[in-house]
Structures are given as structure tokens and as C-alpha cells.
Amino acid sequence: MNFGLFTAIVISRTVTDTQITWLLEPEHQLDNSKIDPPPPEYNLGGISGGPLISFFESENYISYYCLSGIVTEHPDYENNEFTIERLIAIRADVINEKGRIIFK
């Protein structure tokens, strides 16, 4: 068992009114990234409840990090194939101060 920070540079696959999903595609990894990608079939069990931190850039070209969501699912299987590269999070702006999801 390992504890620590899991980091990856990815682009969101879908963003809906309540969810953010991303897919870590090994063929699209950055060759010169300072953040190493996770090894293939890396077990992310226990990641639910963790923060999804995103990188943004304003119209004035100011870069910043922001809490975007809370991880809710890490499906292990998709189309009968083992996958670890998919993650689902609830958007942070639809979670109220009591931790409940509010729908707009």
C-alpha cells in the first residue's frame, strides 16, 4: 500500500452541469513533462473523496490552480477491459457547505 500525491496532466474529457471526467491516454502524454505519468494499470483504489485540482489561465494570461471537484468514481472496467485511466468527479461549485450536491 502506498500513500501520496497522485498527479497527472490531462485534459477534461467531459464537463457537465454536475460532473467532470477525464481519461488519461498514454499515447497523448507530454514527452517533456516534469510530472511523470502513472505506470500502466496503476491501482487508484481509495482515491474517491480526494480533490481534483485544475490548472486555468485567465483572459489576461494569468495562470492559477483551482479546486474543480471531488473524486467520486474510479471505474475499473470499461467495455470488459481493465482500465485505470478514467476518473469521475463532482464539480466543486455544486457542493454546498454541508457537503451535499445541489442541482441548479
Side-chain angles (χ1 to χ4, degrees):
M1 182 179 298
N2 292 322
F3 293 95
L5 182 64
F6 170 76
T7 57
I9 297 176
V10 297
I11 296 174
S12 296
R13 181 173 157 194
T14 60
V15 178
T16 68
D17 290 343
T18 57
Q19 285 187 339
I20 302 168
T21 66
W22 60 259
L23 183 65
L24 184 61
E25 299 171 296
E27 65 272 13
H28 293 109
Q29 293 296 314
L30 299 173
D31 292 332
N32 60 354
S33 174
K34 293 181 181 181
I35 298 174
D36 293 329
E41 299 185 7
Y42 186 72
N43 186 351
L44 289 178
I47 197 170
S48 294
L52 175 64
I53 307 295
S54 300
F55 178 78
F56 295 97
E57 187 175 290
S58 73
E59 292 178 9
N60 297 327
Y61 306 105
I62 297 173
S63 301
Y64 60 98
Y65 293 94
C66 180
L67 173 66
S68 295
I70 302 298
V71 177
T72 57
E73 288 184 57
H74 165 52
D76 288 337
Y77 292 95
E78 184 175 287
N79 300 326
N80 294 326
E81 291 183 19
F82 182 77
T83 179
I84 59 88
E85 292 86 8
R86 193 163 68 106
L87 197 101
I88 300 170
I90 293 294
R91 287 179 41 166
D93 61 339
V94 299
I95 302 172
N96 69 16
E97 60 275 354
K98 293 183 180 181
R100 296 180 187 235
I101 299 168
I102 50 174
F103 295 99
K104 297 177 181 179

